Amino acid sequence: MKRLYHVPLNLNIKNIFRILVLKFIIGMAVFVLPAAENCKAQIVAYTFAQSTAAYTSISGETVLATATDNTTALNLNSAVFPVALPFSFNFNGTSFTDINVSSNGFITFGSVAPSPTYTYPISGTAAYQGAISAWGKDISSFFDINGRSGKMSYAVTGTAPNREFVIQWAEFRPNSSVITTTVYSFSFQIRLEETTNKIHIVYDPGTYLAGSTSVNGSVEVGLRGASNTEFNNRTNTSAVEFYNSTAGTSNNSSQTFNTVGPNPGLPLVGQVYTWTPPSCYTPTNIAVNNITSSSATVSWAPSSSSPSGYDIYYSTSPVPPTAATAPTVSNFSGNSYQINGINPLTMYFVWVRSNCGSGNISLWSSDIAMFTTTCSNPPAQPAVNGVTVSPNQQATLTAVPSSSTNYSWYDSPAGGNLLFTGNPFTTPALATTTNYYVSAFSGSTGTPAARSYVTGGYIGVGTINTGILFDALNYFVLESITVYPISSNGASGTVIVDVLDSNGNLINTKTANVTGAPNNAPVPQVVTLGFPIFPGTNYKLRLRSFTGISGLLFESNVSGNYPYPYTVQNIVNIKASTLTAAPANTPLTNLYYYFYDWKIGSKCESSRSMAVATVNSMLSTSEAGAKDKIKIYPNPFSDIVTIDRPELISSLDIIDASGKSVMQNVKPGSKLMLNHLLSDVYIVDVHMKDGTRQSVKLIKK
């Protein structure tokens, strides 16, 4: 089976075109970049300084471990120790009272501890809540070399509220080794200040205790937040002295060293790295809701620094604001703000920062919220009534007015999957009560725009840059596509589908659940997208990643080309496949990747109404053996109903549409007064004198 592998794509947002207001109409679209990027703003906001001071070994310390031999098992090669802090220490906006100390030159925060052999504290993906790395790599100590042995320990200096907690790695090697003929010894500390929450890393470069063979390598030095996208680290090349480091540019930026020669050398005697936390933290979890044609509500989680207010900046350009950028809204006191007076059918970008007063402001949020305003005249929100069915039966839901067929039925109040277009909607057989959501729309929907899968596909493994290139000749909504997930054992998983512009900017994304099938019997699965696409060239629809499955099928025409372009006149032009990243996007016409049976439209949707399909187990009671079917009328009724042959009835119960019993053990006559009931649908559970039961549905006007 043919497999393709590709190179990752840079997803950083760059300049894109200003969106035009068009004659076509769209429903709401909103996208927020991953929240982890926001946390990066906190770590980046720490300020760095370098100095020198006398290196002072701690005394009266608590010893965590001591090297007792020069074997790997006993020379402090791989160990992690949980340590309680003597005071609460705030790191990255969160207070901690304990840490984990690794023999590999770093500490971490949070309940998740690194493994004993973990050696990439900043670039690694372990799920701890933060890390401080002084010498992050595989290192070890030694035993009884010239009377000296390594140990790890900690101590508290000073008095409250100005104490300092010091973790010390004494008599360690720069690399892990068991050799005793060449031993280079050095020491270092991580120091945490009470109250100020400053972080210091202090080095004592040490000396040779045996031999003189050069030891060299690279180490991770600096801070990491809750993920490896959050870093504030240091770097130098082998041609630059260790002490002349600069800020790292990626999470795996490192400092190089050697024990012989000036470049890059080792830290200076008493070299101190200091990171000072910001006093004004960036708010998190930026979100946009309640989007209309002219307004939207942006909200955020409060900043841990309790600012006096928040600044908001929104624009039709994705270019992030800087510290000098004037906010659109200044020093707003709440955590939710309604933006008014914006244009319909336009994409906006939103950032928020904390304003702590007197010019003390945080960085702007990094989790940029992107949203598209709706069309200016959407249809009215439809009315819809719920229904009640017995278990494992289908429900038929009808939107009002029933004469219209322009309805879309979904499984979620926003986003979600499009289940059906039309009216009425018949659900699958239901085991439990289920909510559905319906909107009214105007405009077109469901226009085919791409090829269908034929046969003989390959499993696509390389996904990062692979996709379909297309031009948007006019505004349209990419409603759905069909994919063929592959799994030899029928496993379930997810796929992430993106649209990128010609510069590689991410403008739409959707994560969908899929179930695989064997590649010799692929099963099509429709992925609902609802992507608003504005006029432009060289868009790419791509599969960013997948989980749980082996991949998606694609087609390769070895002997010729596919009949590109696939065109819907004046709307979209699907041009080619591509394996390369934007802006190159080298077109290939002998491949067709992943995304079949495009459905496009220009519909303008109302907001959604909820319809409840109630499953009532009372309706499943067997009526076998009933000698006579009881009639209750009129139906619908106003106040009074007539019961046919009440002498056959022992009692009856009345249950509302939610399943709640509103009348119990009623002894009926020929007339039953129900004027106290609200307008609703009811189930009358009739207990017959012969032991059988019957159910009658009644509607109160």
Side-chain angles (χ1 to χ4, degrees), residues 648-653 664-668 685-689:
L648 301 178
I649 300 173
S650 172
S651 65
L652 56 84
D653 300 329
Q664 293 180 319
N665 200 27
V666 178
K667 305 297 183 182
D685 184 23
V686 183
H687 299 252
M688 305 296 288
K689 288 182 178 179

Side-chain angles (χ1 to χ4, degrees), residues 45-48 196-199 274-278:
Y46 276 67
T47 57
F48 173 81
T196 67
N197 298 299
K198 289 183 179 181
I199 299 161
T274 298
W275 283 269
T276 302

Side-chain angles (χ1 to χ4, degrees), residues 192 273 619:
L192 309 179
Y273 284 170
L619 298 183

Side-chain angles (χ1 to χ4, degrees), residues 270-295:
Q271 180 172 318
V272 181
Y273 284 170
T274 298
W275 283 269
T276 302
S279 59
C280 196
Y281 278 98
T282 306
T284 59
N285 300 329
I286 314 301
V288 182
N289 295 289
N290 304 322
I291 302 168
T292 71
S293 61
S294 60
S295 66

Side-chain angles (χ1 to χ4, degrees), residues 72-287:
T72 299
L74 300 174
N75 68 351
L76 300 182
N77 180 54
S78 296
V80 173
F81 305 94
V83 175
L85 296 173
F87 48 79
S88 179
F89 185 78
N90 189 293
F91 179 77
N92 200 22
T94 301
S95 292
F96 296 95
T97 56
D98 49 47
I99 58 174
N100 291 292
V101 180
S102 170
S103 62
N104 287 325
F106 63 92
I107 66 172
T108 66
F109 297 93
S111 58
V112 176
S115 69
T117 57
Y118 205 67
T119 58
Y120 298 98
I122 299 176
S123 64
T125 59
Y128 41 72
Q129 290 180 258
I132 302 171
S133 179
W135 202 265
K137 71 176 282 101
D138 185 15
I139 58 176
S140 64
S141 186
F142 50 84
F143 172 70
D144 195 21
I145 302 297
N146 288 341
R148 294 159 68 172
S149 299
K151 67 177 178 179
M152 297 171 59
S153 58
Y154 66 86
V156 182
T157 65
T159 57
N162 299 308
R163 290 171 291 179
E164 195 169 46
F165 186 71
V166 185
I167 309 100
Q168 180 171 277
W169 291 255
E171 310 287 2
F172 265 70
R173 301 173 185 257
N175 283 341
S176 179
S177 177
V178 296
I179 297 172
T180 58
T181 54
T182 293
V183 177
Y184 190 93
S185 172
F186 85 126
S187 302
F188 56 92
Q189 300 170 340
I190 294 176
R191 306 174 77 99
L192 309 179
E193 284 191 14
E194 185 181 19
T195 304
T196 67
N197 298 299
K198 289 183 179 181
I199 299 161
H200 306 283
I201 295 175
V202 188
Y203 297 100
D204 180 12
T207 187
Y208 278 99
L209 300 182
S212 59
T213 303
S214 176
V215 180
N216 58 73
S218 62
V219 295
E220 294 191 346
V221 178
L223 316 182
R224 197 204 90 166
S227 78
N228 65 3
T229 63
E230 317 160 31
F231 57 88
N232 189 329
N233 54 5
R234 307 301 297 173
T235 187
N236 67 285
T237 67
S238 59
V240 176
E241 299 91 342
F242 187 98
Y243 58 82
N244 278 328
S245 69
T246 57
T249 57
S250 64
N251 59 22
N252 62 355
S253 293
S254 60
Q255 289 211 241
T256 59
F257 70 90
N258 66 26
T259 57
V260 176
N263 294 333
L266 287 165
L268 298 173
V269 177
Q271 180 172 318
V272 181
Y273 284 170
T274 298
W275 283 269
T276 302
S279 59
C280 196
Y281 278 98
T282 306
T284 59
N285 300 329
I286 314 301

Side-chain angles (χ1 to χ4, degrees), residues 468-556:
I468 296 287
L469 296 177
F470 66 96
D471 295 340
L473 309 178
N474 227 316
Y475 167 79
F476 69 90
V477 178
L478 180 53
E479 297 171 354
S480 67
I481 46 94
T482 297
V483 297
Y484 292 81
I486 299 304
S487 171
S488 60
N489 60 358
S492 296
T494 62
V495 295
I496 300 179
V497 179
D498 298 332
V499 171
L500 308 178
D501 71 6
S502 59
N503 292 318
N505 302 313
L506 181 62
I507 61 172
N508 285 294
T509 188
K510 175 68 178 288
T511 301
N513 297 319
V514 295
T515 301
N519 65 327
N520 60 352
V523 176
Q525 295 188 35
V526 175
V527 177
T528 302
L529 299 177
F531 291 166
I533 306 296
F534 294 89
T537 60
N538 289 322
Y539 284 107
K540 180 192 290 184
L541 179 67
R542 71 156 187 194
L543 173 66
R544 187 200 311 180
S545 64
F546 57 81
T547 63
I549 59 174
S550 301
L552 299 182
L553 283 190
F554 71 95
E555 294 173 291
S556 176

